[in-house]
Amino acid sequence: MTTTEILERGYRRYDGPRLGVAASMSALVRHTVRRCLGVHRPARAKVFPVLVIVLAYVPTIVYVGVTVLGNRLQRSGVPGRSMARAFVPSYATSYLSITLAIVVFSAFVAPEVLCPDRRTGMLGLYLASPLDRFTYLVSKAAAVLMLTCVVTVGPPLILLVGYATQGFGPEGLAGWAGTLGRILGAGLTIAVLVTAVSLAISSLTTRKAAASAAFLALVIGLSGLLTMVVVQGAVSNRWGVFNLFTLPYEAAFRIFGEPSPLVLNAESEVPAGLIALGCGGWVAASVLVIAWRYRRAGVTA
Amino acid sequence: MSDVVVGQRVSKRFGATPVLADATFTVGRGVTGLLGPNGAGKTTLLSMMLGLHRADSGRLEVLGLDPVRSGPEVRARIGYAPEHHLLPPDLPALDFVRHLAEIHGLPRAEAATRASDALWWVALGEERFRALGTLSTGQRQRVKLAAALAPDPALLLLDEPTDGLDPTQRDSMLDLISRIGTDVGIDVILSSHLLDEVERTCDQVVVLDDGHVVASGPLDELRGVERGVRLVVDADPAALAGSLASRGLDVVVDRYTLDVTSDLVDQCALQRIVRDEVAAAGIGLRELRSRVRSLSDVILGVGL
């Protein structure tokens, strides 16, 4: 029997299509999302993101399960539906049970997305491609936003489907469309806010752990401080617009038109305009920080 | 298109520090060395070719385009291998090369095929599924070369591609670079501070010092042909040197190598005299050629 070995495969020239900047951005988004979720990476890289995503969905699955159980009890003659209605939250309130998962997920994703590129020199390789600083950052932000939406939009969407199939959901097509719009609006608002801030912090360091710690310190530490001074009456609850832990959810409650149970409203209703201004201010400040940090980034960065 | 890169009076400052001053040069087809000591402005010039820095004054054209105005279009046709060896440690080599090919605009399936081919071409086919962090420095240098080659660029920019390599790996890398220029037909700009590797690999050179272009052009033209001949013999050349000197020639002996020059006869006559004297001396002749200046002589000649 003879064996054949290919010793020289040669080099083929390529004269096919080159897909342009949009395709490059799409490739970067896809690669970033896969890296963040640990695809084609060692098992240890998959554990954390999968665990946090699962944690974000557990309350939703429990709520839907309660509606299913309520309906079964109802068929057995027990007033299960009213018991279930008393237990399951509204769409806005459901965010409160996944707040921590969202914050922890955001503390993980943005550092994972930005820091290694500067630390390993990948940024220089990207900037030597059809991408430039702007399209690189837009792609990275899009990837973080998509990933964050998995935990900010996904759970309430499942809740909508679950509630609707169990007869707890909005009535009629208009009700469905309105609720769906609010879910997307609230989920995107929260995602945009945490994406912007976490990316800004991640742009300041090449260390993932330092970026994660700084994000958690800013969100949780500042929240604790502000909550304390607002509760003590030292300052107006309007200072809550600086509270990154509660501000996104205040925005969500405004979008769903529900009264907020958060400390931000302890005294009186904070105008929705101020909430919007707070969200916009955080996002704008974050964009400025990122732009400043990447202004001079080059191939030797 | 004959000129790959054209720079005319290109100047660049970072703050108060001038990095390039009135740099005028032309890079033609083939392999070109961008030579200069550290801090000469090589990396800045590479960055400007990639459109990442705008010239303060002057004009720079890459592949016939302004790299700042047509940045994405120019960079889509350029492959770049950076100097640093830091790469994502847990990313398999194949994924790395494929991803960069996609980023350069290749369709996904084509990027995957070409990534695999490029890794085979740089002799890393068997290692293509290994994580980058587990590869040696030499292997990582070749992965960077494969990543730069996979999108089939028109121009390849290699920044110190032999940095950190042992002599064997260095020879292998320089052979690959030569083949890219000759067999594959991709134009290459090789940034280096090592004279010998530029001299060995490149057809042309742009020599930078302190932001100034101190020499540029084809190596043969820069080196020129000096008057005189160099011969290498296989026995003691003392007698031969004596007989050449007795005919009024200037002879410099270095072991078995003799450099023979004369202001009295022309180059053809000189070669005939040397041939006859070698024959008369009855010793073996290993090499006989016109004397050329080394790149080192050229650079020393311009005061570097």
Side-chain angles (χ1 to χ4, degrees):
Chain A
M1 194 176 96
T2 58
T3 57
T4 305
E5 187 180 359
I6 298 172
L7 295 173
E8 173 58 71
R9 295 167 73 106
Y11 183 92
R12 288 182 304 116
R13 300 307 303 256
Y14 175 73
D15 54 5
R18 292 185 190 267
L19 303 178
V21 176
S24 303
M25 294 173 71
S26 166
L28 181 55
V29 171
R30 197 166 53 245
H31 176 79
T32 304
V33 168
R34 288 161 60 92
R35 293 276 299 163
C36 252
L37 296 176
V39 178
H40 279 197
R41 293 180 70 190
R44 64 178 184 278
K46 307 180 206 302
V47 171
F48 191 76
V50 171
L51 186 67
V52 178
I53 289 172
V54 168
L55 284 177
Y57 280 80
V58 164
T60 303
I61 292 164
V62 170
Y63 299 143
V64 173
V66 167
T67 61
V68 172
L69 186 63
N71 279 338
R72 286 195 177 174
L73 288 173
Q74 192 75 30
R75 284 196 290 275
S76 314
V78 181
R81 284 183 63 83
S82 53
M83 289 163 67
R85 277 193 191 283
F87 178 79
V88 296
S90 68
Y91 294 102
T93 313
S94 72
Y95 279 115
L96 298 178
S97 53
I98 58 171
T99 300
L100 200 58
I102 292 172
V103 169
V104 171
F105 193 66
S106 303
F108 159 77
V109 170
E112 181 69 38
V113 164
L114 277 194
C115 298
D117 281 356
R118 293 202 312 282
R119 194 173 168 81
T120 63
M122 278 300 284
L123 176 62
L125 290 171
Y126 286 132
L127 296 184
S129 77
L131 298 171
D132 56 23
R133 294 170 181 82
F134 178 73
T135 48
Y136 165 81
L137 286 169
V138 167
S139 306
K140 287 289 179 176
V144 176
L145 193 64
M146 283 170 63
L147 286 162
T148 310
C149 281
V150 170
V151 291
T152 61
V153 176
L157 271 182
I158 288 181
L159 211 55
L160 173 66
V161 173
Y163 282 3
T165 53
Q166 296 304 313
F168 284 73
E171 299 296 328
L173 190 61
W176 249 86
T179 305
L180 181 63
R182 289 189 184 92
I183 286 173
L184 293 177
L188 271 174
T189 301
I190 296 171
V192 166
L193 189 54
V194 295
T195 293
V197 174
S198 59
L199 282 174
I201 290 172
S202 302
S203 73
L204 298 173
T205 174
T206 58
R207 303 259 175 195
K208 287 191 289 185
S212 297
F215 178 75
L216 289 174
L218 180 70
V219 173
I220 296 175
L222 190 61
S223 169
L225 184 69
L226 283 167
T227 304
M228 198 165 61
V229 294
V230 168
V231 166
Q232 287 176 348
V235 297
S236 161
N237 67 350
R238 295 186 176 210
W239 279 82
V241 294
F242 294 105
N243 188 338
L244 275 171
F245 195 73
T246 56
L247 182 65
Y249 310 103
E250 280 290 340
F253 278 102
R254 296 298 192 285
I255 289 168
F256 280 101
E258 294 181 24
S260 168
L262 300 174
V263 71
L264 198 59
N265 277 346
E267 295 170 357
S268 59
E269 188 76 6
V270 176
L274 191 59
I275 299 287
L277 194 65
C279 292
W282 275 108
V283 172
S286 301
V287 168
L288 287 175
V289 168
I290 296 165
W292 167 70
R293 283 293 293 165
Y294 280 82
R295 192 166 47 100
R296 285 209 173 274
V299 291
T300 52
Chain B
M1 185 185 68
S2 57
D3 293 332
V4 179
V5 181
V6 178
Q8 286 186 340
R9 300 180 65 84
V10 178
S11 295
K12 179 70 187 171
R13 302 176 76 89
F14 287 130
T17 311
V19 184
L20 282 175
D22 276 345
T24 297
F25 60 91
T26 300
V27 173
R29 303 294 313 266
V31 183
T32 302
L34 184 57
L35 186 63
N38 290 333
K42 301 190 298 292
T43 301
T44 300
L45 186 54
L46 289 184
S47 294
M48 292 173 78
M49 290 176 191
L50 288 163
L52 302 175
H53 294 303
R54 187 186 295 271
D56 296 334
S57 63
R59 184 173 68 90
L60 184 65
E61 258 187 25
V62 179
L63 303 170
L65 297 167
D66 179 334
V68 174
R69 283 188 193 153
S70 310
E73 194 181 343
V74 169
R75 289 193 295 273
R77 298 168 63 195
I78 292 180
Y80 171 67
E83 181 180 3
H84 64 77
H85 312 308
L86 291 169
L87 298 171
D90 61 350
L91 193 62
L94 181 63
D95 287 2
F96 173 76
V97 177
R98 177 176 55 197
H99 174 53
L100 286 176
E102 275 192 75
I103 290 289
H104 272 80
L106 264 61
R108 287 173 78 178
E110 192 66 37
T113 307
R114 292 194 63 84
S116 183
D117 285 354
L119 284 165
W120 277 103
W121 198 79
V122 299
L124 280 179
E126 302 287 353
E127 317 293 335
R128 64 192 187 281
F129 298 116
R130 276 179 59 187
L132 294 171
T134 66
L135 299 178
S136 68
T137 302
Q139 288 172 322
R140 267 180 282 174
Q141 288 282 29
R142 278 187 280 161
V143 169
K144 287 190 290 180
L145 184 61
L149 268 180
D152 191 27
L155 171 63
L156 204 55
L157 303 182
L158 306 177
D159 199 355
E160 306 280 2
T162 58
D163 188 36
L165 303 187
D166 64 34
T168 310
Q169 292 172 326
R170 186 167 162 267
D171 284 349
S172 163
M173 175 61 80
L174 292 177
D175 284 345
L176 277 175
I177 294 168
S178 291
R179 287 176 60 199
I180 292 167
T182 53
D183 300 357
V184 177
I186 294 174
D187 299 316
V188 180
I189 295 181
L190 165 68
S191 170
S192 175
H193 62 274
L194 299 173
L195 286 175
D196 64 326
E197 70 182 37
V198 168
E199 191 158 26
R200 173 178 155 183
T201 316
C202 301
D203 315 308
Q204 307 151 80
V205 68
V206 175
V207 185
L208 283 173
D209 182 45
D210 203 18
H212 294 83
V213 174
V214 293
S216 80
L219 269 179
D220 290 343
E221 281 181 22
L222 281 177
R223 286 189 295 216
V225 177
E226 285 195 333
R227 287 181 62 82
V229 295
R230 168 167 291 183
L231 63 155
V232 181
V233 293
D234 64 358
D236 183 0
L240 175 62
S243 62
L244 289 168
S246 69
R247 299 194 55 173
L249 306 178
D250 300 320
V251 183
V252 177
V253 180
D254 179 15
R255 289 173 59 82
Y256 296 106
T257 302
L258 294 90
D259 283 322
V260 185
T261 54
S262 173
D263 294 329
L264 305 175
V265 296
D266 65 19
Q267 187 74 2
C268 289
L270 180 66
Q271 286 174 350
R272 279 196 302 273
I273 295 169
V274 169
R275 180 198 62 195
D276 295 344
E277 289 299 329
V278 170
I283 58 178
L285 183 63
R286 290 189 181 279
E287 185 180 329
L288 173 65
R289 60 179 168 83
S290 297
R291 288 181 66 221
V292 293
R293 290 194 299 170
S294 69
L295 191 52
S296 170
D297 296 332
V298 173
I299 289 172
L300 289 171
V302 296
L304 263 180

